[in-house]
Amino acid sequence: MSLARIAGLAALVLSTQVAPAAEGYDPWPGLVQDIFNNRPMNDGTNVIGIEMPSRAEDAAIVPVTLRTKLSPGDNRRIISITLVIDQNPAPMAAKFTLGADANVSEIATRVRVNNYTDVHAVAELSDGKLYMVKTYVKASGGCSAPAAKNAEEANNRLGQMRYRQFAKSAEGPASALREAQIMIGHPNNSGLQMDQVTQLYIPAFFVNELRLWQDDSPVLSMEGGISISEDPNIRFTYVSNGAKRFRAEAKDTGGHVFQREWKADESGS
């Protein structure tokens, strides 16, 4: 099932109140069928790790970190990682596709969590198999929480991108491990938030695609949904190929395309 279709299902719950998930109900088997076409799930303990707080301080901006755990001698590579928040109205939060030569080993972002829920990370490897791990998060109301910024402020920042590089070239060779961050100004409206003045639901409007390159070599791409928090923020590690430029392109459900380019070894706004 595509993210667009899953996001559309969120409209079915617009007229309902956020409520705890039904006790004993496990949506995961159905999600395996809908999102992964019922492909077999293997234990991913030695493949991928997922870290989230067991109880969220703010359900609208819950941090999540995904780490690759393949041993150095393993000749397989992770092709993609799908993040699924089981009890969210649109459970498929994001699918990250890793550049073949970028050696991405960690991805961190912030998500909305609507109910107490299992959160699954599913890695697809070059052997054609899926590997799954999960964690449990206690949070509620994240998808319907009011935006942190007002509409005018959000529109003024729409599509503004910032890039930060945390490892400087002087600290090691061009092939050294780098850590970088991309931040995008965007309301990422979930479709479940209510305008406090009009008492009407704000239509879903979110970044649904992000692509990153070093020169022309893909580093990381994300297919995003309504569960990614306001002002999407992606922090990741990768191995530099000596590129001079770092490029980003983002698209949203309103048809906007945002593009920026920076010098690879310099942070910029």
Side-chain angles (χ1 to χ4, degrees), residues 11-166:
L12 297 177
V13 299
L14 289 180
S15 61
T16 66
Q17 296 294 320
V18 175
E23 186 176 354
Y25 170 63
D26 182 7
W28 180 241
L31 296 174
V32 172
Q33 178 177 346
D34 292 343
I35 299 174
F36 303 101
N37 296 317
N38 247 358
R39 292 171 62 187
M41 291 284 164
N42 299 281
D43 180 13
T45 303
N46 296 320
V47 174
I48 185 172
I50 180 171
E51 295 179 10
M52 299 179 74
S54 58
R55 184 179 295 274
E57 293 185 9
D58 186 337
I61 48 170
V62 183
V64 55
T65 300
L66 305 168
R67 290 189 174 90
T68 64
K69 297 173 67 176
L70 290 177
S71 63
D74 198 320
N75 59 9
R76 300 172 299 173
R77 75 174 186 89
I78 295 179
I79 295 174
S80 67
I81 304 170
T82 303
L83 180 65
V84 181
I85 305 174
D86 295 19
Q87 298 284 357
N88 271 14
M92 186 171 166
K95 180 177 180 179
F96 300 96
T97 301
L98 284 54
D101 301 316
N103 293 305
V104 172
S105 56
E106 184 174 311
I107 303 168
T109 188
R110 304 175 304 189
V111 295
R112 299 176 169 120
V113 178
N114 216 48
N115 286 300
Y116 285 29
T117 184
D118 283 327
V119 179
H120 287 83
V122 178
E124 180 168 11
L125 266 59
S126 54
D127 62 6
K129 297 179 180 179
L130 300 179
Y131 297 83
M132 179 272 290
V133 293
K134 69 177 181 179
T135 189
Y136 189 77
V137 179
K138 295 179 180 179
S140 63
C143 292
S144 58
K149 299 176 178 64
N150 62 43
E152 182 177 358
E153 183 181 358
N155 286 333
N156 288 340
R157 300 179 69 254
L158 187 69
Q160 293 182 9
M161 285 193 278
R162 296 181 60 195
Y163 163 74
R164 296 179 64 191
Q165 179 76 247
F166 297 96

Side-chain angles (χ1 to χ4, degrees), residues 136-203:
Y136 189 77
V137 179
K138 295 179 180 179
S140 63
C143 292
S144 58
K149 299 176 178 64
N150 62 43
E152 182 177 358
E153 183 181 358
N155 286 333
N156 288 340
R157 300 179 69 254
L158 187 69
Q160 293 182 9
M161 285 193 278
R162 296 181 60 195
Y163 163 74
R164 296 179 64 191
Q165 179 76 247
F166 297 96
K168 302 191 183 303
S169 58
E171 295 176 357
S175 60
L177 186 68
R178 305 290 182 89
E179 185 174 5
Q181 183 179 38
I182 292 289
M183 295 159 281
I184 308 168
H186 203 285
N188 253 38
N189 296 326
S190 67
L192 302 174
Q193 298 153 304
M194 182 178 289
D195 186 307
Q196 301 303 305
V197 176
T198 66
Q199 298 296 296
L200 299 174
Y201 284 101
I202 302 168

Side-chain angles (χ1 to χ4, degrees), residues 195-263:
D195 186 307
Q196 301 303 305
V197 176
T198 66
Q199 298 296 296
L200 299 174
Y201 284 101
I202 302 168
F205 176 48
F206 55 91
V207 173
N208 59 352
E209 187 176 322
L210 172 65
R211 297 182 183 276
L212 308 173
W213 299 265
Q214 47 178 333
D215 282 346
D216 295 319
S217 179
V219 174
L220 181 68
S221 66
M222 180 191 75
E223 185 181 358
I226 66 169
S227 297
I228 298 296
S229 298
E230 181 180 1
D231 294 333
N233 181 324
I234 312 295
R235 187 162 174 160
F236 54 96
T237 59
Y238 71 103
V239 172
S240 170
N241 63 2
K244 303 299 182 183
R245 300 172 301 149
F246 200 92
R247 298 190 292 123
E249 178 183 273
K251 299 179 181 179
D252 68 18
T253 54
H256 303 100
V257 178
F258 313 108
Q259 297 174 320
R260 285 292 307 271
E261 180 178 308
W262 303 267
K263 291 182 179 180

